Coordinates of all heavy atoms in Angstrom, one line a residue:
M1 N -3.7 -10.4 8.8 CA -3.9 -10.3 7.3 C -4.4 -11.6 6.8 O -4.0 -12.7 7.3 CB -2.5 -10.0 6.7 CG -2.7 -9.3 5.4 SD -1.1 -8.8 4.7 CE -0.8 -7.2 5.6
K2 N -5.4 -11.5 6.0 CA -6.0 -12.7 5.4 C -5.6 -13.0 4.0 O -5.5 -12.1 3.2 CB -7.5 -12.4 5.5 CG -8.4 -13.4 4.6 CD -8.8 -14.7 5.4 CE -9.6 -15.5 4.5 NZ -10.0 -16.9 5.1
I3 N -5.4 -14.4 3.7 CA -5.1 -14.7 2.4 C -6.4 -15.3 1.7 O -7.0 -16.2 2.4 CB -3.9 -15.7 2.3 CG1 -2.7 -15.3 3.0 CG2 -3.7 -16.2 0.8 CD1 -2.0 -14.1 2.4
C4 N -6.7 -14.8 0.6 CA -8.0 -15.3 -0.1 C -7.7 -16.8 -0.5 O -6.7 -17.2 -1.0 CB -8.1 -14.4 -1.4 SG -9.4 -15.1 -2.5
S5 N -8.6 -17.6 -0.1 CA -8.5 -19.1 -0.2 C -8.7 -19.5 -1.6 O -8.4 -20.7 -2.1 CB -9.5 -19.8 0.7 OG -10.7 -19.5 0.2
I6 N -9.2 -18.6 -2.6 CA -9.4 -18.9 -3.9 C -8.3 -18.5 -4.9 O -7.8 -19.2 -5.6 CB -10.7 -18.3 -4.3 CG1 -11.9 -18.9 -3.4 CG2 -11.0 -18.5 -5.9 CD1 -13.2 -18.2 -3.5
C7 N -7.8 -17.2 -4.8 CA -6.7 -16.8 -5.6 C -5.4 -16.7 -4.9 O -4.3 -16.5 -5.5 CB -7.0 -15.4 -6.2 SG -7.0 -14.1 -5.0
H8 N -5.4 -17.0 -3.6 CA -4.2 -17.0 -2.7 C -3.4 -15.7 -2.7 O -2.3 -15.7 -2.5 CB -3.3 -18.2 -3.1 CG -4.0 -19.5 -3.0 ND1 -4.5 -20.1 -1.9 CD2 -4.4 -20.5 -4.0 CE1 -5.1 -21.2 -2.0 NE2 -5.1 -21.4 -3.4
R9 N -4.1 -14.6 -2.9 CA -3.5 -13.4 -2.8 C -4.1 -12.7 -1.5 O -5.1 -13.0 -0.9 CB -3.8 -12.4 -4.0 CG -2.9 -12.9 -5.1 CD -3.1 -11.9 -6.5 NE -4.5 -12.0 -6.8 CZ -5.0 -11.7 -8.0 NH1 -4.2 -11.2 -8.9 NH2 -6.3 -11.9 -8.3
I10 N -3.3 -11.6 -1.0 CA -3.7 -11.0 0.2 C -5.1 -10.3 0.0 O -5.3 -9.6 -1.0 CB -2.7 -9.9 0.6 CG1 -1.4 -10.7 1.1 CG2 -3.1 -9.1 1.8 CD1 -0.2 -9.9 1.2
S11 N -6.0 -10.5 1.0 CA -7.3 -9.8 0.9 C -7.3 -8.7 2.0 O -7.0 -8.9 3.2 CB -8.4 -10.7 1.1 OG -9.5 -10.1 1.4
G12 N -7.7 -7.4 1.7 CA -7.9 -6.4 2.6 C -9.0 -6.5 3.5 O -9.1 -5.8 4.5
T13 N -10.0 -7.2 3.0 CA -11.3 -7.3 3.8 C -11.4 -8.2 5.0 O -12.3 -8.3 5.7 CB -12.5 -7.7 2.9 OG1 -12.2 -9.0 2.4 CG2 -12.5 -6.7 1.6
G14 N -10.3 -9.0 5.1 CA -10.4 -10.1 6.2 C -11.2 -11.2 5.8 O -11.4 -12.1 6.7
D15 N -11.6 -11.3 4.5 CA -12.3 -12.5 4.1 C -11.9 -12.7 2.6 O -11.1 -11.9 2.1 CB -13.8 -12.2 4.1 CG -14.6 -13.4 4.4 OD1 -14.1 -14.5 4.2 OD2 -15.7 -13.3 4.9
D16 N -12.3 -13.8 2.0 CA -12.0 -14.1 0.6 C -12.6 -12.9 -0.2 O -13.6 -12.4 0.1 CB -12.7 -15.4 0.1 CG -12.1 -16.6 0.8 OD1 -11.0 -16.5 1.5 OD2 -12.6 -17.6 0.8
H17 N -11.8 -12.7 -1.4 CA -12.4 -11.6 -2.3 C -13.8 -11.8 -2.7 O -14.1 -13.0 -3.1 CB -11.4 -11.4 -3.5 CG -10.0 -11.0 -3.1 ND1 -9.0 -11.8 -3.6 CD2 -9.6 -10.1 -2.4 CE1 -7.8 -11.3 -3.1 NE2 -8.1 -10.2 -2.4
L18 N -14.6 -10.8 -2.7 CA -16.0 -11.1 -3.1 C -16.1 -11.6 -4.6 O -16.9 -12.5 -4.9 CB -16.9 -9.7 -3.0 CG -17.2 -9.4 -1.6 CD1 -18.1 -8.2 -1.6 CD2 -18.1 -10.6 -1.0
D19 N -15.3 -11.0 -5.4 CA -15.3 -11.4 -6.9 C -14.8 -12.8 -7.1 O -15.2 -13.6 -7.9 CB -14.8 -10.4 -7.9 CG -13.7 -9.6 -7.3 OD1 -13.8 -9.2 -6.1 OD2 -12.8 -9.2 -8.1
C20 N -13.8 -13.2 -6.2 CA -13.4 -14.6 -6.3 C -14.4 -15.6 -5.7 O -14.6 -16.6 -6.4 CB -12.1 -14.8 -5.4 SG -10.6 -13.9 -5.9
V21 N -15.1 -15.2 -4.7 CA -16.2 -16.1 -4.2 C -17.3 -16.3 -5.3 O -17.9 -17.3 -5.5 CB -16.7 -15.5 -2.9 CG1 -18.0 -16.3 -2.5 CG2 -15.8 -15.5 -1.8
Q22 N -17.6 -15.0 -6.0 CA -18.6 -15.0 -7.0 C -18.2 -15.9 -8.1 O -18.9 -16.7 -8.7 CB -18.9 -13.6 -7.4 CG -19.9 -13.4 -8.6 CD -21.3 -13.4 -8.0 OE1 -21.4 -13.2 -6.7 NE2 -22.2 -13.7 -8.7
K23 N -16.9 -15.7 -8.7 CA -16.5 -16.6 -9.7 C -16.5 -18.0 -9.5 O -16.9 -18.8 -10.3 CB -14.9 -16.0 -10.0 CG -14.6 -16.3 -11.4 CD -13.1 -15.6 -11.6 CE -12.4 -16.5 -12.5 NZ -10.9 -16.2 -12.5
R24 N -16.0 -18.4 -8.2 CA -16.0 -19.7 -7.8 C -17.5 -20.3 -7.9 O -17.6 -21.4 -8.3 CB -15.4 -19.9 -6.4 CG -15.5 -21.2 -5.7 CD -14.8 -22.3 -6.5 NE -13.4 -22.1 -6.6 CZ -12.6 -22.4 -5.6 NH1 -12.9 -23.1 -4.5 NH2 -11.3 -22.2 -5.8
R25 N -18.4 -19.5 -7.4 CA -19.8 -20.0 -7.4 C -20.2 -20.2 -8.8 O -21.1 -21.2 -9.1 CB -20.7 -19.0 -6.7 CG -22.0 -19.6 -6.2 CD -22.9 -18.5 -5.6 NE -22.2 -17.8 -4.7 CZ -22.6 -16.4 -4.3 NH1 -23.5 -15.9 -4.9 NH2 -21.9 -15.8 -3.4
V26 N -20.0 -19.3 -9.7 CA -20.5 -19.4 -11.2 C -19.8 -20.7 -11.7 O -20.5 -21.4 -12.4 CB -20.1 -18.2 -12.0 CG1 -20.3 -18.4 -13.4 CG2 -20.9 -16.9 -11.4
E27 N -18.5 -20.9 -11.4 CA -17.8 -22.1 -12.0 C -18.5 -23.4 -11.5 O -18.7 -24.3 -12.1 CB -16.3 -22.1 -11.6 CG -15.5 -21.1 -12.5 CD -14.2 -20.9 -12.0 OE1 -13.7 -21.5 -11.0 OE2 -13.4 -20.0 -12.6
L28 N -18.8 -23.4 -10.2 CA -19.5 -24.5 -9.6 C -20.8 -24.8 -10.1 O -21.1 -26.0 -10.4 CB -19.5 -24.4 -8.1 CG -18.2 -24.5 -7.3 CD1 -18.3 -24.2 -5.8 CD2 -17.5 -25.8 -7.5
E29 N -21.5 -23.7 -10.4 CA -22.9 -23.9 -10.9 C -22.7 -24.5 -12.4 O -23.6 -25.2 -12.8 CB -23.6 -22.6 -11.0 CG -24.3 -22.3 -9.5 CD -24.8 -20.9 -9.5 OE1 -24.8 -20.1 -10.5 OE2 -25.1 -20.5 -8.3
D30 N -21.8 -24.0 -13.1 CA -21.5 -24.4 -14.4 C -21.3 -25.9 -14.5 O -21.8 -26.7 -15.2 CB -20.4 -23.6 -15.1 CG -20.9 -22.5 -16.0 OD1 -22.1 -22.1 -15.8 OD2 -20.2 -22.0 -16.7
E31 N -20.4 -26.3 -13.6 CA -20.0 -27.7 -13.5 C -21.3 -28.5 -13.2 O -21.5 -29.6 -13.8 CB -19.0 -27.9 -12.4 CG -17.6 -27.7 -12.8 CD -17.1 -28.4 -14.1 OE1 -17.3 -29.7 -14.2 OE2 -16.8 -27.9 -15.1
D32 N -22.1 -28.1 -12.4 CA -23.3 -28.6 -11.9 C -24.2 -28.9 -13.2 O -24.7 -29.9 -13.3 CB -23.9 -27.9 -10.7 CG -24.8 -28.7 -9.9 OD1 -24.5 -29.9 -9.7 OD2 -25.8 -28.2 -9.4
L33 N -24.3 -27.8 -13.8 CA -25.3 -27.8 -15.0 C -24.8 -28.8 -16.0 O -25.5 -29.6 -16.5 CB -25.3 -26.5 -15.6 CG -26.3 -25.5 -14.9 CD1 -26.2 -24.1 -15.6 CD2 -27.7 -26.0 -15.0
K34 N -23.4 -28.8 -16.3 CA -22.9 -29.7 -17.3 C -23.1 -31.1 -16.9 O -23.3 -32.0 -17.7 CB -21.4 -29.5 -17.5 CG -21.0 -28.2 -18.3 CD -19.6 -28.0 -18.3 CE -19.2 -26.5 -18.7 NZ -18.0 -26.1 -18.3
N35 N -23.0 -31.4 -15.6 CA -23.2 -32.8 -15.1 C -24.6 -33.2 -15.3 O -24.9 -34.4 -15.5 CB -22.8 -32.9 -13.7 CG -21.3 -32.8 -13.5 OD1 -20.5 -33.0 -14.4 ND2 -20.9 -32.4 -12.4
K36 N -25.5 -32.2 -15.2 CA -27.0 -32.6 -15.3 C -27.5 -32.7 -16.7 O -28.6 -33.3 -17.0 CB -27.8 -31.4 -14.5 CG -27.8 -31.6 -13.0 CD -28.5 -30.5 -12.4 CE -28.4 -30.5 -10.9 NZ -28.8 -29.2 -10.3
I37 N -26.9 -32.1 -17.7 CA -27.3 -32.0 -19.0 C -27.5 -33.4 -19.7 O -28.7 -33.6 -20.1 CB -26.5 -31.1 -19.9 CG1 -26.9 -29.6 -19.6 CG2 -26.8 -31.3 -21.4 CD1 -26.1 -28.7 -20.3
P38 N -26.6 -34.2 -19.6 CA -26.8 -35.5 -20.3 C -28.0 -36.3 -19.7 O -28.8 -37.0 -20.4 CB -25.6 -36.3 -20.0 CG -24.5 -35.3 -19.7 CD -25.3 -34.2 -19.1
E39 N -28.3 -36.2 -18.5 CA -29.3 -36.7 -17.8 C -30.6 -36.2 -18.4 O -31.6 -36.9 -18.6 CB -29.2 -36.5 -16.3 CG -30.2 -37.3 -15.4 CD -30.0 -36.9 -14.0 OE1 -28.8 -36.5 -13.6 OE2 -31.0 -36.8 -13.3
K40 N -30.7 -34.8 -18.5 CA -31.9 -34.2 -18.9 C -32.3 -34.5 -20.4 O -33.4 -34.7 -20.7 CB -31.8 -32.7 -18.7 CG -31.9 -32.3 -17.2 CD -32.3 -30.8 -17.1 CE -32.4 -30.4 -15.6 NZ -33.6 -31.1 -15.0
I41 N -31.2 -34.6 -21.2 CA -31.4 -34.9 -22.6 C -32.0 -36.2 -22.8 O -32.8 -36.5 -23.5 CB -30.0 -34.6 -23.4 CG1 -29.8 -33.2 -23.5 CG2 -30.2 -35.2 -24.8 CD1 -28.4 -32.8 -24.1
D42 N -31.4 -37.2 -21.8 CA -31.9 -38.6 -22.0 C -33.3 -38.6 -21.5 O -34.1 -39.2 -22.2 CB -31.0 -39.4 -21.0 CG -30.7 -40.7 -21.4 OD1 -30.7 -40.9 -22.7 OD2 -30.8 -41.6 -20.6
L43 N -33.7 -37.9 -20.5 CA -35.1 -37.9 -20.1 C -35.9 -37.2 -21.1 O -37.2 -37.6 -21.4 CB -35.3 -37.0 -18.7 CG -34.7 -37.7 -17.5 CD1 -34.7 -36.6 -16.3 CD2 -35.6 -38.9 -17.1
G44 N -35.4 -36.3 -21.9 CA -36.1 -35.5 -22.9 C -36.6 -36.4 -23.9 O -37.7 -36.1 -24.7
K45 N -36.1 -37.6 -24.2 CA -36.4 -38.5 -25.1 C -37.8 -39.0 -24.8 O -38.6 -39.4 -25.7 CB -35.5 -39.7 -25.3 CG -34.2 -39.3 -25.9 CD -33.2 -40.6 -25.9 CE -31.9 -40.1 -26.3 NZ -30.8 -41.1 -26.0
N46 N -38.1 -39.1 -23.6 CA -39.4 -39.6 -23.0 C -40.4 -38.5 -22.9 O -41.6 -38.9 -22.8 CB -39.2 -40.5 -21.9 CG -38.3 -41.5 -22.1 OD1 -38.3 -42.2 -23.2 ND2 -37.5 -41.9 -21.1
S47 N -40.1 -37.3 -22.7 CA -41.1 -36.2 -22.5 C -40.6 -35.0 -23.1 O -39.5 -34.4 -23.0 CB -41.0 -36.0 -20.9 OG -41.7 -34.8 -20.7
N48 N -41.6 -34.4 -23.9 CA -41.3 -33.2 -24.7 C -41.2 -32.0 -23.7 O -40.8 -31.0 -23.9 CB -42.3 -32.9 -25.7 CG -42.2 -33.9 -26.8 OD1 -41.0 -34.4 -27.1 ND2 -43.3 -34.3 -27.5
D49 N -41.9 -32.2 -22.6 CA -41.9 -31.1 -21.6 C -40.5 -30.6 -21.1 O -40.4 -29.5 -20.7 CB -42.7 -31.5 -20.3 CG -44.1 -31.7 -20.7 OD1 -44.6 -31.4 -21.7 OD2 -44.8 -32.5 -19.9
L50 N -39.6 -31.5 -21.2 CA -38.2 -31.1 -20.7 C -37.4 -30.3 -21.7 O -36.4 -29.8 -21.5 CB -37.4 -32.4 -20.3 CG -37.9 -32.9 -18.9 CD1 -37.3 -34.4 -18.8 CD2 -37.4 -32.1 -17.8
G51 N -37.9 -30.3 -23.0 CA -37.2 -29.6 -24.0 C -36.8 -28.2 -23.8 O -35.7 -27.8 -24.0
V52 N -37.8 -27.4 -23.2 CA -37.6 -26.1 -23.0 C -36.5 -25.9 -21.9 O -35.7 -25.0 -22.1 CB -38.9 -25.5 -22.6 CG1 -38.7 -24.0 -22.1 CG2 -40.0 -25.4 -23.6
E53 N -36.6 -26.8 -20.9 CA -35.6 -26.6 -19.8 C -34.1 -26.8 -20.3 O -33.3 -26.1 -20.0 CB -36.0 -27.6 -18.7 CG -35.3 -27.2 -17.3 CD -35.7 -28.2 -16.3 OE1 -36.7 -28.9 -16.5 OE2 -35.0 -28.4 -15.3
V54 N -34.0 -27.8 -21.1 CA -32.7 -28.2 -21.6 C -32.2 -27.1 -22.5 O -31.1 -26.8 -22.4 CB -32.8 -29.5 -22.5 CG1 -31.5 -29.9 -23.3 CG2 -33.1 -30.7 -21.5
R55 N -33.1 -26.6 -23.3 CA -32.7 -25.5 -24.1 C -32.1 -24.3 -23.3 O -31.2 -23.6 -23.7 CB -33.8 -25.0 -25.1 CG -33.3 -24.6 -26.5 CD -34.6 -24.3 -27.3 NE -35.5 -25.3 -27.4 CZ -36.8 -25.3 -27.6 NH1 -37.4 -24.0 -27.5 NH2 -37.6 -26.3 -27.6
A56 N -32.9 -24.0 -22.3 CA -32.5 -22.9 -21.5 C -31.1 -23.1 -20.8 O -30.3 -22.2 -20.7 CB -33.6 -22.7 -20.3
I57 N -30.8 -24.2 -20.4 CA -29.5 -24.7 -19.8 C -28.4 -24.5 -20.9 O -27.4 -23.9 -20.7 CB -29.6 -26.1 -19.3 CG1 -30.4 -26.0 -18.1 CG2 -28.1 -26.5 -18.9 CD1 -30.6 -27.6 -17.6
L58 N -28.7 -25.0 -22.1 CA -27.7 -24.9 -23.2 C -27.4 -23.4 -23.5 O -26.3 -23.0 -23.8 CB -28.2 -25.6 -24.5 CG -28.3 -27.2 -24.2 CD1 -28.8 -27.8 -25.5 CD2 -26.8 -27.7 -24.1
E59 N -28.5 -22.7 -23.5 CA -28.4 -21.2 -23.8 C -27.5 -20.5 -22.7 O -26.6 -19.7 -22.9 CB -29.8 -20.5 -23.9 CG -30.2 -20.4 -25.2 CD -31.7 -20.0 -25.3 OE1 -32.1 -19.3 -24.3 OE2 -32.4 -20.2 -26.2
H60 N -27.8 -20.9 -21.5 CA -27.1 -20.3 -20.3 C -25.6 -20.6 -20.4 O -24.7 -19.8 -20.3 CB -27.6 -20.9 -19.1 CG -26.7 -20.7 -17.8 ND1 -26.8 -19.4 -17.2 CD2 -25.7 -21.4 -17.3 CE1 -25.8 -19.4 -16.3 NE2 -25.2 -20.6 -16.2
L61 N -25.1 -21.9 -20.8 CA -23.8 -22.4 -21.1 C -23.1 -21.6 -22.1 O -21.9 -21.1 -22.1 CB -23.8 -23.8 -21.3 CG -24.0 -24.7 -20.0 CD1 -24.0 -26.2 -20.4 CD2 -23.0 -24.4 -18.9
S62 N -23.8 -21.3 -23.2 CA -23.2 -20.6 -24.4 C -22.9 -19.2 -24.1 O -21.9 -18.7 -24.5 CB -24.0 -20.9 -25.6 OG -25.2 -20.2 -25.5
K63 N -23.8 -18.6 -23.2 CA -23.6 -17.3 -22.8 C -22.4 -17.2 -21.9 O -21.6 -16.3 -22.0 CB -24.9 -16.8 -22.0 CG -25.8 -16.1 -23.0 CD -27.1 -15.7 -22.1 CE -28.4 -15.7 -22.9 NZ -29.5 -15.8 -22.1
E64 N -22.2 -18.2 -21.0 CA -21.1 -18.2 -20.2 C -19.8 -18.3 -20.9 O -18.8 -17.5 -20.6 CB -21.1 -19.4 -19.2 CG -22.2 -19.2 -18.0 CD -21.7 -18.1 -17.2 OE1 -20.5 -17.9 -16.9 OE2 -22.6 -17.5 -16.6
K65 N -19.8 -19.0 -22.0 CA -18.7 -19.3 -22.7 C -18.3 -17.9 -23.5 O -17.1 -17.6 -23.5 CB -19.0 -20.3 -23.9 CG -17.9 -21.4 -23.8 CD -18.2 -22.5 -24.9 CE -19.1 -23.5 -24.3 NZ -19.7 -24.4 -25.3
D66 N -19.4 -17.3 -23.9 CA -19.0 -15.9 -24.7 C -18.4 -14.9 -23.7 O -17.5 -14.2 -24.0 CB -20.4 -15.3 -25.2 CG -20.8 -16.0 -26.4 OD1 -20.0 -16.9 -27.0 OD2 -22.0 -15.9 -26.8
R67 N -18.8 -15.0 -22.4 CA -18.4 -14.1 -21.6 C -16.9 -14.3 -21.2 O -16.1 -13.4 -20.9 CB -19.2 -14.1 -20.2 CG -19.2 -12.8 -19.4 CD -19.8 -13.0 -18.1 NE -21.2 -13.4 -18.1 CZ -21.8 -13.9 -17.1 NH1 -21.2 -14.0 -15.9 NH2 -23.0 -14.4 -17.2
Q68 N -16.5 -15.6 -21.2 CA -15.2 -15.9 -20.8 C -14.1 -15.6 -21.9 O -12.9 -15.4 -21.7 CB -15.1 -17.4 -20.5 CG -15.5 -17.6 -19.0 CD -15.9 -19.1 -18.7 OE1 -15.6 -19.9 -19.5 NE2 -16.6 -19.3 -17.6
S69 N -14.6 -15.6 -23.2 CA -13.6 -15.5 -24.2 C -13.4 -14.0 -24.6 O -14.1 -13.1 -24.2 CB -14.1 -16.2 -25.5 OG -15.4 -15.7 -25.9
Ligands
ZN101 ZN1 -9.1 -13.7 -4.3

């Protein structure tokens, strides 16, 4: 019997739960994006080309927040 390493409950598949793995991945990507944003905004001061990319990241984060609440 396998214990899911993410939620620590028993998994019937012999591996971590797929939704736990998926959730963990989304969380890690969010953390990654949050860490990158200040850097990108700072760069944005020097280049207008980065504006669209930063906006897309901010939109992505606000969508994630909506989904969690
Ligand atoms: Zn799990």
Side-chain angles (χ1 to χ4, degrees):
M1 204 173 282
K2 162 88 180 174
I3 305 291
C4 173
S5 66
I6 295 162
C7 70
H8 302 294
R9 284 181 298 201
I10 292 163
S11 168
T13 63
D15 214 336
D16 294 347
H17 299 124
L18 279 180
D19 23 329
C20 290
V21 172
Q22 180 78 24
K23 204 175 143 197
R24 169 64 61 85
R25 196 186 310 151
V26 168
E27 280 169 6
L28 288 176
E29 279 171 8
D30 265 13
E31 277 307 305
D32 204 34
L33 280 175
K34 278 176 203 157
N35 291 336
K36 279 177 187 164
I37 281 176
E39 192 186 326
K40 286 201 180 287
I41 288 174
D42 213 36
L43 286 170
K45 286 175 190 164
N46 299 323
S47 168
N48 288 332
D49 294 343
L50 285 168
V52 174
E53 201 182 337
V54 170
R55 216 176 304 143
I57 292 168
L58 290 173
E59 263 170 26
H60 170 81
L61 284 179
S62 64
K63 271 179 210 156
E64 282 297 324
K65 233 177 273 167
D66 287 347
R67 207 191 302 165
Q68 279 162 11
S69 62

